[in-house]
Amino acid sequence: MIRFLLWLLGGVLLGGVVHLATVLLLPRMATQDAYSRLAPLTPVNKVVPVPHPSPDKATMPFMDPAFAMAVCRYDLTQAPLKFTVPISQAYTSVSFYTRADIAYYAINDRAAGRRVIELDLMTPDQHNDLPDNEEITAADRLIVESPTNTGLIVIKALAAEPGLLTSAQNTLNSAKCQPMPQ
Amino acid sequence: MRLLLGTLFAFAIAALIGLGATWLTLKEGIAYGGITVGAWTAWPKNGTPGIDPYARAMVARSGELPIGSGDGITFFARTDDTTRPLDGRCDVTLSGTTPPARFWTLTLYDPEGKLVANSVQRHGFTSQELIRSASGTFGITIGPRARPGNWLPTGGVERYVLALRLYDTPVGLATRSGPDTAMPSISQKGCP
């Protein structure tokens, strides 16, 4: 009887380990996460509009239908990236996600404070390699550090009423993400 | 022989408990660090690198992208103020005020996060398109039948989820303001 209880206790403890391990490993094994859903629709380092969600079809669950959305799936392995988007009438935001769909930075039009949101995206190593003088001359340049080489830039523009959706989508069409010339 | 049986038994228990607990936490949507106000709950950490492992697993499984914390915050409601699940065949009144934000949107989803089909193709409201009273408060009627004023159709589905998203807002960032954040009340009546 004692022996049985000991085996049971061992099993329960091991069960705890299994539980923690599966929770931690699940994000790495997921095949239907946001990045994997967007990957087939998006060429690398290019801004692509995400289809507007409808009851029959949505790229991701829980998308906000009041927004036009575009994505730049980036890869910084070769070079840092230059990103620009003009701001729309109502509200524009740019959010950055790692390959594992973790939001690490987001900025909106008011925080950017100009008619255009303009920034450079690079890895911490590329940031360290920047020549010092260049950083001074471009003091007003916004630099965002990506913790991973690949990830997503998600650009959203609010259509305050359904009739404004096309205009919001047009704003996003002028967004650009391009590798910097080396 | 005893050793083998014992080991197998322990492994079986471990698999049952471990996988069962994982499945249950993901199904029930257990995550830490939520702010709950009335029927509404938000997880401000989900939009930051500090997202907890349970929320990460859920996000990876569902395929959604949580709103970045510099962008906004999402409050979800699955029940009314009396913790009764929201039923698309009832008349639900959402009223009151919302926390400070430059814009907000209210959207109705099915429990899996898909938009719900309806005859007028309305899936939500933005703060700009609401009809408000002179004092600035508003009321939204959510139900299967058309109503005058702000009507959000449910398409008659049995269960649904409301998402109230605040954009460019101080809520959830610095403040851990729970109960002092004013969220709209949700009351349900006329259920079949």
Side-chain angles (χ1 to χ4, degrees), chain A residues 3-4 7-8 10-20 22-24 26-28 30-35 37-38 52-67 69 71 89-95 97 100-111 152 154 156 158-162, chain B residues 2-7 9-11 13-15 17-23 25-26 46-51 53-54 56-72 76 78 102-103 105 107 109-118 122-129 161 163 165 167-168:
Chain A
R3 192 182 293 253
F4 169 76
W7 282 119
L8 188 68
V12 170
L13 290 177
L14 200 60
V17 175
V18 169
H19 168 60
L20 289 178
T22 46
V23 166
L24 292 175
L26 200 126
R28 277 182 227 187
T31 50
Q32 280 299 302
D33 67 317
Y35 188 95
R37 283 164 187 249
L38 287 165
H52 199 69
S54 73
D56 315 318
K57 209 167 177 294
T59 314
M60 291 169 279
F62 294 108
M63 283 171 74
D64 192 336
F67 277 80
M69 191 177 181
V71 166
Q89 294 171 341
Y91 173 82
T92 311
S93 74
V94 185
S95 313
Y97 297 86
D101 308 306
I102 294 175
Y104 63 90
Y105 184 74
I107 187 170
N108 64 50
D109 49 6
R110 188 143 66 178
L152 300 169
V154 175
K156 294 190 301 182
L158 176 67
E161 44 190 278
Chain B
R2 256 206 187 147
L3 186 69
L4 184 71
L5 276 181
T7 315
F9 173 70
F11 279 3
I13 294 286
I17 290 189
L19 298 178
T22 302
W23 179 76
T25 46
L26 294 184
N46 286 11
T48 70
I51 180 170
Y54 287 99
R56 252 191 91 176
M58 274 189 294
V59 163
R61 204 177 77 124
S62 78
E64 66 193 282
L65 276 180
I67 297 186
S69 65
D71 184 16
F76 287 105
R78 291 173 190 273
R102 211 163 118 212
F103 292 98
T105 64
T107 315
Y109 299 97
D110 74 4
E112 273 77 53
K114 281 190 297 202
L115 298 173
V116 174
N118 61 71
R122 176 168 278 291
H123 307 293
F125 282 98
T126 70
S127 48
Q128 302 281 294
E129 52 186 349
V161 183
R165 295 188 172 89
Y167 290 98
D168 201 353

Side-chain angles (χ1 to χ4, degrees), chain B residues 41-112:
Chain B
T41 308
W43 290 270
K45 280 228 156 107
N46 286 11
T48 70
I51 180 170
D52 85 77
Y54 287 99
R56 252 191 91 176
M58 274 189 294
V59 163
R61 204 177 77 124
S62 78
E64 66 193 282
L65 276 180
I67 297 186
S69 65
D71 184 16
I73 186 168
T74 312
F75 281 86
F76 287 105
R78 291 173 190 273
T79 67
D80 63 12
D81 289 341
T82 61
T83 69
R84 229 170 3 145
L86 292 171
D87 188 326
R89 297 162 299 186
C90 311
D91 288 319
V92 168
T93 313
L94 196 121
S95 60
T97 54
T98 52
R102 211 163 118 212
F103 292 98
W104 57 260
T105 64
L106 176 78
T107 315
L108 189 149
Y109 299 97
D110 74 4
E112 273 77 53

